[in-house]
Amino acid sequence: MGESKYLFVEHERPFKYEEDGLNVTRGSAWSGPGCHLGCGVLLYTDTEGKLVKVEGDPENPYNQGRLCPRCLALPEVTNHEDRLKYPMKRAKEDRGQNKWTRITWDEAFDTIERELKDIKQKYGPETVLFMQGTGRDIAPYITRLCWSYGSPNFSLFLSGAACYVPRVIGLAGTFGAFLVPDCSQVHPDRYDNPEYVIPEVIFVWGNNCVVSNSDGFFGHWVVDLMQRGSKIVVIDPRVTWLSSRAALHLRVRPGTDAALALGMLNVIISEELYDYDFVDKWCYGFDELAQRVKEYPVEKVAEITWIPEEKIVAAARMLATSKPAALQWGVAVDMTKEAIPAGQSISTLFAITGNIEVPGGMIVPPEILKYVGGWGKDLLPDDAYTKRIGQDRYPLFASEAQPDCIVEQLETSEPYKIRAAWIQTSNFLACMAADPQRLFNAMKDLDFIAYVDIFMTPTAMALADIVLPAATYPERNGIRLGDGAQRGETINKVTSIGECKSDMEINLELGRRLNPEAWPWDTVEEMFTFLLQDDTGMTFEELQEQAPAYPPFQYRRHEKGLLRKDGQLGFNTATGRIELWSTFYSNVGLDPLPYFEEPTPGPGSTPELLEEYPLVLTTGARNWSMFHSEHRQIKRMRALHPDPIVEVNPKTLEKFGIADGEYVWVENQYGRAKRKVRATEAVDERMCSTDHAWWLPEGDPDKLYSVFDLNINNLVQWSPGKSGFGSNYKTALCRIYPVNESE
């Protein structure tokens, strides 16, 4: 092994061993199937090489042996009879019909290479979209494929890119880097590390983190810290397991998080509870911020958010007087139209209270490879940047094309016609796309569409000409380079199904055909070593034996010149300080200070609609057994959550004459979706809450598995915020009424 500054865990067991007649391999659970984490796992295979069991690895400091139901059900996914096992093709005129023919990998790659090269020569590489979804660790590889081909148009079909990215971009524009709560995940010895300090309070904001583990954050860390003395404050419209154990639960109206944060800032600043020394030395624009938050007195904020004044004040004081304090937030912050100022408002609370880069506070996570920014941007010709879709309208989109502008361009062919799409890990017609019927209509006549996934999906059935079978993570090698605090983990191949290939192998093989100079590696393992070598000094094979490997970490790096490339003290911003008044936003014509804008439509912006659509709707409620649109065909997972659910308060159901368990339409002026009612006092009488990404794998493929009947995004429009980031997926108006027997 080469010289490495990384810290390692002393394992009692080797990388591979035998137990009770089974082969056991230590590894990391990075998708597919979902999710975002990379928990340590033990993969058990029999003498025939079949995956038969998965357990949590108790020697892995990350999850310490704990796993969710999705990981435990992995053998059922990997060995499922309905897996895509071979490449398939069909004629363009048969899109939407189950008329597939099995082909070889060579035929598939030959066809894709021929089509993409032909389009590049005739129309230019920018006319091909490279689109991904969430969950699988392909961002470095699909971006390199896109950029090495010459297209600037990598993106995802999510209005406003409203998942994770708004917070990443927003924090980069104000703090110079992303921030995560310090739950000791950067230390191999975790809570026993002598430098670590338990947070006095953790704010869990817009994230039911024990069910939905976002941004590389293992939700049970919050429970660990509660057991060690941390208090929690939960900001969530719904009553959850965590909120029932919180010191405070602020049941915020969906979409009004920015107003709540600004009201709390008003309290902290007006009562002079902020950290004067930290603000004076490390923050820029405090006086302007103080003036702005005067516009948000607590009584006004209480009316906007549905939260009693006394709870807002109590939460603000608890934050300001607790040292350290941490924030675990989620996608609810991104899924409002003005996500950028919402994230700015919330993160500013932790800046002015001095909870940045301190043990138990908010830290800049260590990185081995920048996951969000992609890999290989230097491969893109300079003149290609001007052809990135949405660049002229939304300059904050520095690496990806703006999704809403992509949809417009698909429809108008202005300023150029989009000809083809490479779609990887994205069942967008079921999951992320707003107004999915609109996107389907915009895409259905493209010249060529290739698609990569684990199972047949409504999106593949509707649109693809060629489908390539992707491997689940026990079927491939890989490195865990995801969001949150990165560490050196390997995904280790233990089994094979059909002719499935990993996403990385597919991208490498196709990349070598399209631009061999940009893809000089013979194997994916050589490619992984290239990514690891400079930073870790290790080969992929060496890391397999030693993983997990922890990058060296220090606190208070802003005081040591470790956050800036120039080695100067401070933060990686233009001023060297945390920019409460953002020069980054100001330079692109955006408001440099945080603000709140009422969601439209909504009770505060369109009260005239309340008579027809009286309920506030929030979507995307997570559940234990499914990751977005995955796991619908896994019997054990489906048994835990068999139907699409809308949660409604019993008093609201009584008012509308609807019974618990009845099937209803959830409808607004844009569309409707079918749901089964669950009566619960966990939601306010003025709202309802529903899960997302529904389709029926057992349904008719020629009817696209009922996706257009069930997709809650029928009620959501393509409508980003002023920055191009954020969209109102989690706040709308709706009505509910019974489904007729004929429906």
Side-chain angles (χ1 to χ4, degrees), residues 314-502:
R317 290 173 179 167
M318 182 179 290
L319 171 58
T321 57
S322 300
K323 288 295 180 77
L327 166 71
Q328 169 53 23
W329 54 353
V331 73
V333 178
D334 304 320
M335 290 194 158
T336 185
K337 190 172 180 178
E338 292 305 325
I340 291 290
Q344 186 184 12
S345 306
I346 295 167
S347 59
T348 294
L349 284 164
F350 293 82
I352 69 167
T353 53
N355 287 295
I356 307 299
E357 276 293 294
V358 297
M362 302 298 291
I363 57 173
V364 177
E367 286 187 318
I368 298 171
L369 175 72
K370 288 196 175 296
Y371 173 68
V372 174
W375 176 40
K377 194 178 294 185
D378 57 306
L379 298 169
L380 193 62
D382 291 339
D383 61 352
Y385 286 92
T386 61
K387 300 174 183 176
R388 181 181 293 126
I389 298 170
Q391 185 68 39
D392 54 339
R393 201 185 317 177
Y394 300 115
L396 287 188
F397 277 78
S399 296
E400 63 186 90
Q402 206 285 332
D404 303 78
C405 293
I406 291 176
V407 177
E408 291 180 16
Q409 191 157 326
L410 282 164
E411 293 174 327
T412 66
S413 298
E414 297 293 335
Y416 55 84
K417 183 179 176 63
I418 298 170
R419 299 284 175 173
W422 170 268
I423 300 166
Q424 199 162 3
T425 80
S426 182
N427 183 13
F428 53 82
L429 290 184
C431 187
M432 62 171 54
D435 195 351
Q437 187 74 57
R438 178 185 173 191
L439 181 56
F440 167 73
N441 290 333
M443 291 196 69
K444 61 184 177 64
D445 294 323
L446 289 184
D447 296 348
F448 180 70
I449 299 174
Y451 184 91
V452 185
D453 217 314
I454 296 172
F455 289 93
M456 180 59 67
T457 68
T459 303
M461 187 61 68
L463 296 170
D465 302 313
I466 283 185
V467 170
L468 304 179
T472 60
Y473 66 81
E475 301 169 72
R476 68 176 178 88
N477 286 329
I479 47 178
R480 195 278 178 197
L481 297 176
D483 40 12
Q486 292 184 0
R487 61 200 182 278
E489 293 264 27
T490 62
I491 298 96
N492 301 315
K493 182 174 181 176
V494 299
T495 191
S496 296
I497 300 295
E499 296 179 3
C500 298
K501 294 178 181 285
S502 74

Side-chain angles (χ1 to χ4, degrees), residues 200-344:
E200 285 192 34
V201 64
I202 304 169
F203 276 68
V204 180
W205 200 313
N207 175 220
N208 186 10
C209 57
V210 295
V211 176
S212 175
N213 300 267
S214 66
D215 309 340
F217 185 90
F218 189 70
H220 277 76
W221 295 340
V222 172
V223 181
D224 292 344
L225 292 170
M226 290 167 66
Q227 292 171 335
R228 289 164 171 79
S230 295
K231 296 181 179 179
I232 62 169
V233 174
V234 172
I235 295 92
D236 195 313
R238 300 166 67 242
V239 176
T240 64
W241 183 89
L242 276 178
S243 72
S244 70
R245 288 152 178 81
L248 284 170
H249 178 199
L250 280 58
R251 298 181 69 174
V252 65
R253 170 163 67 93
T256 63
D257 303 87
L260 172 59
L262 289 161
M264 292 172 62
L265 285 166
N266 182 305
V267 172
I268 292 170
I269 293 174
S270 65
E271 296 186 4
E272 298 186 357
L273 299 175
Y274 58 91
D275 187 325
Y276 178 86
D277 290 339
F278 186 85
V279 168
D280 183 59
K281 191 170 185 179
W282 300 112
C283 294
Y284 174 82
F286 178 78
D287 291 340
E288 291 86 349
L289 174 70
Q291 192 64 34
R292 171 62 58 87
V293 301
K294 288 180 180 179
E295 300 173 20
Y296 298 91
V298 173
E299 57 272 15
K300 174 182 176 182
V301 170
E303 183 178 348
I304 292 170
T305 62
W306 298 350
I307 301 170
E309 293 179 34
E310 62 272 16
K311 283 198 170 186
I312 298 171
V313 173
R317 290 173 179 167
M318 182 179 290
L319 171 58
T321 57
S322 300
K323 288 295 180 77
L327 166 71
Q328 169 53 23
W329 54 353
V331 73
V333 178
D334 304 320
M335 290 194 158
T336 185
K337 190 172 180 178
E338 292 305 325
I340 291 290
Q344 186 184 12

Side-chain angles (χ1 to χ4, degrees), residues 158-199:
L158 179 69
S159 178
C163 178
Y164 183 60
V165 182
R167 281 171 290 146
V168 173
I169 297 299
L171 288 174
T174 51
F175 291 80
F178 192 54
L179 298 172
V180 297
D182 178 22
C183 296
S184 77
Q185 67 267 41
V186 294
H187 306 299
D189 50 355
R190 294 302 304 272
Y191 307 113
D192 295 328
N193 186 276
E195 290 189 80
Y196 184 64
V197 177
I198 302 296

Side-chain angles (χ1 to χ4, degrees), residues 674-720:
K674 191 180 294 184
R675 287 293 183 273
K676 187 176 183 180
V677 167
R678 177 185 292 159
T680 174
E681 294 184 356
V683 296
D684 190 282
E685 296 174 41
R686 295 164 286 186
M687 64 169 285
C688 56
S689 172
T690 186
D691 48 2
H692 73 303
W694 269 95
W695 60 291
L696 302 177
E698 69 273 21
D700 187 345
D702 290 334
K703 294 182 179 178
L704 303 184
Y705 310 103
S706 301
V707 67
F708 290 130
D709 274 348
L710 299 174
N711 194 335
I712 198 64
N713 290 347
N714 293 335
L715 286 73
V716 178
Q717 293 294 288
W718 292 90
S719 181

Side-chain angles (χ1 to χ4, degrees), residues 30 45 53 61 72 93 107 144 154 271 284 325 335 423 509 517 565 575 584 589 611 628 667 710 727 741:
W30 189 247
T45 52
K53 185 172 68 171
L72 297 174
E93 58 268 22
E107 184 179 354
R144 190 174 189 86
F154 156 75
E271 296 186 4
Y284 174 82
M335 290 194 158
I423 300 166
E509 292 193 28
E517 291 184 1
K565 292 182 180 179
T575 62
F584 183 71
E611 184 173 346
H628 293 306
E667 183 180 67
L710 299 174
S727 192
E741 289 185 9

